[in-house]
Amino acid sequence: MIDFIKRICIALVLALFIGMLFVGTSYTFAHEDEKLPEELVEAHIWPTVGDVTDTYGTRNGKHYGIDIAAEEGTPVISIETGVVTRSYYSDTYGHVIFVEHENGLETVYAHLNERLVDELEVVDEGQLIGTVGTTGESSGNHLHFEVHYGNWNIEKSESIDPFVVLSTEPEYMYAALGEESPYGSDWRTRDSITVSSNDKHRNSDGMIVVTVNRGDTISKIAYENNVSVEEVMNWNLLENDVIYHDQELKLYPNKDRHVVKKGETLTAIADKYQLSIEGLQELNKLQSDLITTGQSLVINK
Ligand SMILES: [Zn+2]
């Protein structure tokens, strides 16, 4: 009999341990970033361009998003294809948009100046959904951006650090951290912008109009058309390098010039146009083979 009771006790203790194991597992699942599918990590474009002025988990753990300061009216885009689940005015969030994505994320864009999409609307990655503002409980123009793995809830228990899902590739940089950032000012330096460039048509004066599609960057458009990012910005009166889906950009490519891209060497450029290095130096009156990014070189007489 005593043996039997012993066995029951051992069984109960074991059951208790196994039960605790499950409790522990389900707890960590909801909160730990490493449980995110790998394909979501650093896989998304940034929602706007500006300076990151506050990061996730600050204010005694009560800041469930990141803040990106930018001028009023700066475009805010959806970081991924999805469905708008909410688009309304909240006393705290101000004008706010929630987008639910098929990959399991829900993103929140708050303090907007204006909302440009309606509830239940399907939005593309990179689609303009609103503009930066300072509505609701906000002390200056910025985007408050949240990412939830699962659905948003009032406790924000599913929130994750947006940096985990935002790309660190310069091509996909929409925001740069400000000087005050704990990560330093060089980290995630904005270089160019995500968007794209398929449709082109050429005018009689040689100007071409490029319609921006998803997936391209302003530097890609510049590269493909042999112009510099600065030229694209000047021709289109852009104050920053944010461009968005369906935007039309005017370009004036010149086939007699080559604009030096980051990392290019004189040798590579000479090869590209089947010139000798000496020939290229002569055309451009270069004393050495030193060239700088953005420099415009003559490649034809
Ligand atoms: Zn915030």
Side-chain angles (χ1 to χ4, degrees):
M1 188 61 190
I2 287 173
D3 206 40
F4 178 72
I5 291 169
K6 250 189 201 166
R7 276 187 207 174
I8 293 277
C9 285
I10 290 168
L12 279 174
V13 168
L14 273 177
L16 192 69
F17 269 115
I18 291 167
M20 281 168 72
L21 214 63
F22 278 108
V23 171
T25 309
S26 62
Y27 174 80
T28 53
F29 180 76
H31 296 270
E32 288 196 359
D33 293 338
E34 53 267 26
K35 297 293 176 186
L36 261 188
E38 207 168 316
E39 64 266 25
L40 301 190
V41 175
E42 297 180 358
H44 299 80
I45 57 175
W46 282 63
T48 192
V49 170
D51 295 321
V52 175
T53 51
D54 202 359
T55 51
Y56 180 83
T58 56
R59 306 177 205 171
N60 294 321
K62 297 280 184 246
H63 193 232
Y64 295 99
I66 58 170
D67 292 338
I68 306 172
E71 274 176 49
E72 180 185 297
T74 302
V76 172
I77 59 169
S78 175
I79 68 157
E80 174 68 275
T81 305
V83 179
V84 177
T85 46
R86 297 180 211 202
S87 174
Y88 70 112
Y89 186 86
S90 140
D91 287 341
T92 49
Y93 278 144
H95 286 296
V96 62
I97 292 167
F98 290 58
V99 182
E100 199 178 305
H101 311 282
E102 249 182 48
N103 59 19
L105 299 180
E106 184 163 17
T107 49
V108 178
Y109 310 78
H111 307 314
L112 301 173
N113 187 49
E114 49 186 343
R115 286 178 280 118
L116 302 172
V117 288
D118 294 323
E119 283 178 11
L120 298 182
E121 204 171 316
V122 174
V123 293
D124 284 336
E125 176 194 60
Q127 184 176 329
L128 183 69
I129 56 172
T131 59
V132 170
T134 182
T135 55
E137 276 176 21
S138 167
S139 54
N141 285 304
H142 76 283
L143 175 71
H144 170 84
F145 176 66
E146 290 175 15
V147 177
H148 302 265
Y149 185 48
N151 285 111
W152 180 93
N153 60 60
I154 194 82
E155 287 83 29
K156 302 184 183 178
S157 61
E158 308 302 309
S159 70
I160 59 173
D161 184 347
F163 283 169
V164 174
V165 302
L166 296 176
S167 174
T168 58
E169 293 294 316
E171 295 293 303
Y172 292 92
M173 284 298 92
Y174 268 44
L177 287 170
E179 298 287 328
E180 302 305 314
S181 152
Y183 297 92
S185 58
D186 289 338
W187 198 68
R188 291 171 188 263
T189 304
R190 173 165 53 89
D191 183 28
S192 60
I193 288 316
T194 303
V195 210
S196 78
S197 71
N198 279 352
D199 233 14
K200 287 190 207 183
H201 51 271
R202 193 175 286 268
N203 281 24
S204 51
D205 62 350
M207 178 189 87
I208 64 166
V209 178
V210 173
T211 306
V212 172
N213 288 326
R214 289 178 286 125
D216 272 349
T217 65
I218 200 166
S219 58
K220 184 179 167 216
I221 292 171
Y223 185 85
E224 284 172 353
N225 293 283
N226 196 29
V227 294
S228 68
V229 170
E230 290 67 33
E231 284 174 323
V232 178
M233 287 171 63
N234 289 339
W235 292 329
N236 294 281
L237 307 174
L238 303 178
E239 283 178 13
N240 53 45
D241 49 9
V242 182
I243 49 180
Y244 49 86
H245 192 36
D246 281 343
Q247 185 175 3
E248 293 194 330
L249 294 176
K250 287 181 283 187
L251 307 176
Y252 300 88
N254 186 340
K255 52 186 188 318
D256 298 326
R257 287 184 297 126
H258 175 86
V259 178
V260 178
K261 311 300 180 310
K262 206 172 175 178
E264 266 185 339
T265 62
L266 203 59
T267 316
I269 297 166
D271 279 354
K272 183 173 177 178
Y273 298 101
Q274 297 177 334
L275 294 166
S276 65
I277 295 175
E278 294 72 28
L280 195 55
Q281 284 175 320
E282 207 181 295
L283 275 173
N284 292 281
K285 304 183 172 61
L286 300 175
Q287 305 299 322
S288 71
D289 54 5
L290 274 180
I291 48 174
T292 55
T293 305
Q295 186 174 355
S296 182
L297 296 175
V298 178
I299 45 139
N300 260 320
K301 270 184 204 143

